[in-house]
Amino acid sequence: MRIGILTGGGDCPGLNAVIRGAVRAAEVTYDSTVIGFRNAWRGVMEDDYEPLDVEVCRGILPRGGTILGTSRDQPFAREDGLKLVRKAYDRHGLDAIIAVGGEGSMGVVNELHQNGFPVIGVPKTIDNDIQLTEMTFGFQTAVQICTDAIDRLHTTAESHHRVLVVEVMGRHVGHIAIWSGLAGGAAMTLTPEEPFDIEEVCERIVGRHRKGRYATIIVVAEGALPKPGTFQIPEPEVDSYGHKVLGGIGHILEREIHGRTGIETRTTVLGHIQRGGSPVAFDRVLGTRFGVAAVEAALDGAWGEMVALQQGRIGRVPVKDAIGSLKTVAPDLLRLNTMFQPRLPGDDHPGIPE
């Protein structure tokens, strides 16, 4: 077979592992050829590509980002997009394109499949918010980066008796926040799944201080929201792709906490450092497994399907079933997070469901 591969959306640790895994499987095991399109679907439409083989992919496993580059361009945003994609298939004699990306990219895969194109999806996001896969590569790396930062912030919070707010990525879900907050020993973790009451947050901080715990770490997901009717935050701007531009909740919390409690408060926004650098071992292995599985799905003609991690094994799911709603944090993790926050009089003690 002749297979095209592209990486779309935001960059992510582990993308190069997917590329390497796909190329290795195609060339060495299945006597097939892979070409890589630069900058996602833009490269497909503008015929910007490079042949990929085992030699080209040597040394890329530990590298962050993607050797193919990325963009958020997609064919359905252009009047002639589908025509240009069809020309790319015909020009290069492609039997399939493997598209690696997040929920938006999987939506494109689904639409292309509906239009008769042979496509395979590979889920990619540090946010871990794609349905029907237990984990996406890049997520564990992002969590480890956040956890390392929280570990470092504990000592400066203790030295200055401060509240330190740590804002992490995650878009509209709290997977990164919950995992890094629990792993880093944060006093509180605020997520989009459970809107927060700022008065309650401040009460819990003051309660810690009364007990002599003068250093408090609060992790907040960039998409976290206050409970309706408590206090207002500005409506986020929308970018050229129709996505809300999140970020800034950490500084809002800093002002509110300091103003309401009088306790010195500072904010650290980890930002894009969470998605950069070398992937951890888990993400390298998962990316490799996804790359190999995507080639095998193409060989089987499993068009419109997405490879996925389910019960520790790599399987396939219809991409149409994996889009349309986000995978939110599981209730047992939210309950676990509640158990480790500072107590207030009247708090119940919820158990953790099996």
Side-chain angles (χ1 to χ4, degrees):
M1 297 186 76
R2 285 182 60 80
I3 301 170
I5 190 169
L6 59 88
T7 54
D11 66 298
C12 177
L15 279 167
N16 289 322
V18 178
I19 296 168
R20 174 179 175 270
V23 169
R24 181 84 182 188
E27 179 182 334
V28 176
T29 305
Y30 297 112
D31 193 28
S32 296
T33 303
V34 179
I35 66 171
F37 290 101
R38 299 188 183 99
N39 303 314
W41 292 104
R42 184 195 305 168
V44 177
M45 294 184 287
E46 298 179 357
D47 200 32
D48 187 6
Y49 71 96
E50 62 178 294
L52 296 176
D53 57 25
V54 170
E55 287 301 317
V56 170
C57 293
R58 289 196 187 280
I60 69 172
L61 183 61
R63 285 175 58 179
T66 165
I67 62 169
L68 292 175
T70 187
S71 76
R72 299 189 189 278
D73 293 349
Q74 54 105 338
F76 295 98
R78 294 179 54 163
E79 188 175 335
D80 60 348
L82 286 180
K83 182 179 178 180
L84 292 172
V85 171
R86 174 56 64 194
K87 282 186 176 180
Y89 273 87
D90 294 341
R91 181 185 299 114
H92 296 286
L94 295 178
D95 298 293
I97 286 181
I98 295 170
V100 190
E103 196 209 13
S105 295
M106 294 304 99
V108 174
V109 169
N110 182 52
E111 290 193 62
L112 287 172
H113 173 59
Q114 298 300 321
N115 281 272
F117 289 89
V119 285
I120 302 292
V122 175
K124 172 252 15 156
T125 170
I126 66 168
D127 304 329
N128 198 34
D129 62 358
I130 297 179
Q131 293 279 11
L132 303 184
T133 183
E134 293 170 2
M135 201 77 69
T136 49
F137 62 88
F139 171 66
Q140 290 289 352
T141 301
V143 168
Q144 190 61 58
I145 290 168
C146 293
T147 302
D148 290 344
I150 294 166
D151 287 347
R152 291 177 180 274
L153 289 169
H154 273 290
T155 57
T156 188
E158 291 161 0
S159 297
H160 293 273
H161 312 303
R162 285 174 174 163
V163 174
L164 292 186
V165 178
V166 185
E167 182 183 310
V168 303
M169 285 182 166
R171 298 293 296 165
H172 301 290
V173 297
H175 295 285
I176 294 176
I178 284 287
W179 278 64
S180 61
L182 287 169
M188 280 178 277
T189 300
L190 309 178
T191 70
E193 286 83 355
E194 295 186 322
F196 62 88
D197 183 329
I198 188 62
E199 286 290 345
E200 183 181 302
V201 169
C202 292
E203 285 179 34
R204 294 186 190 279
I205 293 170
V206 170
R208 279 176 57 85
H209 274 241
R210 287 179 182 149
K211 295 177 182 178
R213 300 167 190 161
Y214 300 117
T216 300
I217 302 288
I218 299 176
V219 173
V220 58
E222 62 183 353
L225 295 168
K227 286 184 178 178
T230 52
F231 76 101
Q232 292 292 113
I233 63 173
E235 187 67 23
E237 296 180 4
V238 177
D239 65 18
S240 58
Y241 297 97
H243 301 142
K244 289 184 177 182
V245 181
L246 300 178
I249 187 65
H251 290 292
I252 293 172
L253 281 174
E254 175 189 330
R255 292 194 300 270
E256 290 292 328
I257 291 169
H258 183 247
R260 292 167 186 255
T261 68
I263 300 170
E264 189 175 8
T265 307
R266 295 288 186 272
T267 300
T268 299
V269 180
L270 295 180
H272 286 84
I273 192 172
Q274 295 161 84
R275 63 200 302 170
S278 185
V280 297
F282 181 92
D283 289 337
R284 299 184 195 192
V285 174
L286 181 58
T288 300
R289 295 173 76 189
F290 275 175
V292 172
V295 167
E296 293 176 340
L299 289 162
D300 289 343
W303 313 131
E305 301 214 339
M306 181 187 84
V307 298
L309 180 67
Q310 296 182 323
Q311 296 184 324
R313 302 176 67 87
I314 306 299
R316 303 170 191 166
V317 297
V319 72
K320 65 180 177 61
D321 295 340
I323 60 175
S325 64
L326 299 176
K327 183 182 70 180
T328 55
V329 176
D332 63 319
L333 279 176
L334 292 173
R335 193 170 299 181
L336 181 63
N337 176 53
T338 300
M339 292 180 69
F340 282 88
Q341 69 183 4
R343 314 305 297 175
L344 288 176
D347 277 348
D348 59 2
H349 295 265
I352 303 173
E354 295 182 359

